Amino acid sequence: MSKILVTGGAGYIGTHTLVALAEAGFESVVIDDFSNSKPEALRRVSALAGREIPVMRADLRDAEALRRTFSEHTFDAVIHFAGLKAVGESVRIPLRYYDNNLVSTVRLLEAMEEHGCRRLVFSSSATVYGDPASLPLREEAPLSATSPYGRTKLMIEEMLRDLARASALKNDPPEGAWRIDALRYFNPVGAHESGQIGEDPNGVPNNLFPYLSQVAVGRLPELTVYGSDYPTPDGTGVRDYLHVMDLAEGHVAAVRHLLDESLPAPFAEAINLGTGSGISVVQAIRAFESASGKSIPVRVSERRPGDVAACYADPSKAARMLGWTARRNLAAMCEDTWRWQSRNPSGYA
Ligand code: NAD
Ligand code: UD1
C-alpha cells in the first residue's frame, strides 16, 4: 500500500482529501501545527476512513520534526497543503506569509531530497492568473499576483519548476527524479456528503459560501453582495465553484499520475482543477436558498477591492493528464455545505 505524507491535513481541503485517499486504498500520515484547524477534524476523518491516521503535531519550518517524520516512515509521495491563505491578511502582514509559506516549503523540499522522496502534489491557486485577460483560463495564460499570498504561490511554483529542471540537468534516474503536480484550484466549496467534516473558518468568513451558510444558520444577519455593476450577465462576480470532494479526488488522481512509472521523468506540471463553468453571486444565493429552504437577506454594496469580474477554468488538461473531471453540480455543493453547517452550527467547536 502506498504511503502519502499530507502536510496541513487537518485543514479544509486536507481533511476531505484524507477521506478520498483512504477510499482509494492509500495510507496517509499527517503533519499539521493546528494553527488554522482543530484535532477534532482529524478524529472525524479517522472515523470516516475506518482507520486511525497518524498525526505529527509540528510546524513544517521545524527541520528536526520533518527529519523525525521522514525517518519513521517511508513515503511514496507528499501532498503539500500547509500554508496561510487569507488574502487580506497577507496584504497587512506580508512577512508572516513569506515566512510561513515559503520557508515551510523549502524545509519540506529539503527533507524530501534528503530522504529520496521526490513526488509532490502542491496546492496552488487560480490566484496566480491575477486579473484574467481572457476566459476560460488555460494553464499557459500569463501569470501575475495581486497580493503577497498570491506571490507566495507564484514563487513556490517557480521553485518547483527549478527542481524539475535541476533533475533533468543531473540526469537523475527515473525513480530519483522530481515529479511534481502543482494543482491550481478555482473556488473549492461544499463538504463531505456525511455532514461530518466541512469548512470551519476562524472568525467572520471572507469567502462567499461559508458566509452564505452562516447567514442561513442564523450566525450572521445578512450577506453583502460586493458589486452588481460587473460586466457579467447579472452584474455580480462570476467564479468557478468546485465541490471539495471533486477536488479531493483530483488529488488522488494526481498522486496516481506521479506514481505512474511509465511516464518520462522528471516534470513539474501546473494543472487547473475547476468545473469550467462560471456561476454568479446571485445564482449561488438562489441555489443556496433552495438547498437550505432558508431565505438569505442580502445587501448590495461597492465592489470589494482586488476582486475580478469573472474567473473560470479550462479544465481540459486535468482530464487529459489526470483522467479527472468534476462530477458534482452546484445543487450538491449547496446541499452538502448546508448539511455540514446545519448539523455543526459552531463548526468543530
Ligand atoms: P486550511 O487553512 O484549512 O488548511 C491549511 C492547514 O495547514 C491548516 O490545518 C493549518 O493548521 C496548517 N498549517 C499552516 N501553516 C502550517 C505550518 N507552518 N506547519 C504545519 N501546518 C501548517 O486551508 P485549505 O483551505 O485547506 O487550503 C489548503 C491549501 O490550498 C493552502 O495552501 C491554500 O493556500 C490552498 N488553496 C486553498 C483555496 C481555498 O479556497 N480553500 C484555494 C486555492 C488554494
Ligand atoms: C478568494 C481569494 C482568492 C482565493 C479564492 C479561493 C480574495 C480577494 N480572493 O477568491 O485568492 O484563491 O478565494 O477560494 O479573497 N462575495 C460577495 N460577498 C461576500 C463574499 C464574496 O459578494 O461576502 C463575492 C465576491 O465578490 C466574488 C465571489 O463572491 O465575486 C466569490 O468570492 P470568494 O468566495 O471570496 O472567492 P474569490 O474572491 O474568488
Side-chain angles (χ1 to χ4, degrees), residues 87 125 127 187 206-208 224-226 239 241 281 304 307:
V87 177
S125 165
T127 195
N187 289 58
N206 289 309
N207 299 115
L208 180 63
T224 305
V225 174
Y226 295 130
R239 296 290 184 276
Y241 298 101
V281 175
R304 182 171 66 176
D307 273 2

Side-chain angles (χ1 to χ4, degrees), residues 7-15 31-38 58-61 80-85 100-101 104 122-126 149 153 183-188 199 207:
T7 79
Y12 172 44
I13 305 171
T15 45
I31 179 160
D32 201 301
D33 64 359
F34 297 102
S35 54
N36 197 37
S37 52
K38 301 194 177 73
D59 187 317
L60 270 189
R61 289 166 293 185
H80 179 31
F81 291 113
L84 301 175
K85 62 166 182 176
N100 193 38
N101 294 3
S104 63
F122 171 63
S123 298
S124 189
S125 165
Y149 165 71
K153 295 294 180 196
L183 304 179
R184 294 178 179 161
Y185 316 153
F186 281 68
N187 289 58
E199 188 169 13
N207 299 115

Side-chain angles (χ1 to χ4, degrees), residues 92-294:
R92 287 192 308 278
I93 326 175
L95 288 180
R96 186 159 178 238
Y97 278 69
Y98 290 119
D99 181 33
N100 193 38
N101 294 3
L102 299 183
V103 175
S104 63
T105 304
V106 173
R107 290 290 95 81
L108 172 69
L109 296 169
E110 286 168 348
M112 291 176 69
E113 278 264 320
E114 200 181 315
H115 293 86
C117 170
R118 300 192 183 86
R119 307 281 184 270
L120 176 72
V121 181
F122 171 63
S123 298
S124 189
S125 165
T127 195
V128 299
Y129 295 117
D131 194 349
S134 70
L135 293 167
L137 281 157
R138 292 170 52 81
E139 287 80 357
E140 304 76 42
L143 303 180
S144 72
T146 51
S147 71
Y149 165 71
R151 267 182 284 282
T152 67
K153 295 294 180 196
L154 273 182
M155 288 174 187
I156 293 169
E157 279 202 9
E158 292 294 353
M159 238 191 261
L160 301 178
R161 285 188 272 276
D162 283 338
L163 280 179
R165 274 185 214 114
S167 245
L169 273 176
K170 285 186 292 178
N171 262 327
D172 280 339
E175 66 284 359
W178 280 98
R179 291 155 161 249
I180 299 165
D181 283 334
L183 304 179
R184 294 178 179 161
Y185 316 153
F186 281 68
N187 289 58
V189 301
H192 188 261
E193 291 80 358
S194 64
Q196 287 294 305
I197 56 171
E199 188 169 13
D200 182 22
N202 282 328
V204 178
N206 289 309
N207 299 115
L208 180 63
F209 267 70
Y211 207 106
L212 264 175
S213 60
Q214 292 197 12
V215 173
V217 86
R219 272 172 77 175
L220 293 167
E222 64 179 10
L223 174 81
T224 305
V225 174
Y226 295 130
S228 57
D229 58 350
Y230 281 109
T232 58
D234 63 27
T236 64
V238 165
R239 296 290 184 276
D240 187 339
Y241 298 101
L242 165 73
H243 196 293
V244 67
M245 286 311 298
D246 278 328
L247 182 60
E249 289 162 10
H251 288 75
V252 174
V255 167
R256 291 203 171 108
H257 176 232
L258 300 180
L259 299 181
D260 177 356
E261 296 303 336
S262 71
L263 292 172
F267 59 81
E269 294 288 350
I271 304 175
N272 288 340
L273 293 188
T275 64
S277 24
I279 302 287
S280 75
V281 175
V282 167
Q283 285 175 303
I285 296 170
R286 296 286 166 267
F288 205 86
E289 286 183 324
S290 92
S292 64
K294 305 273 177 190

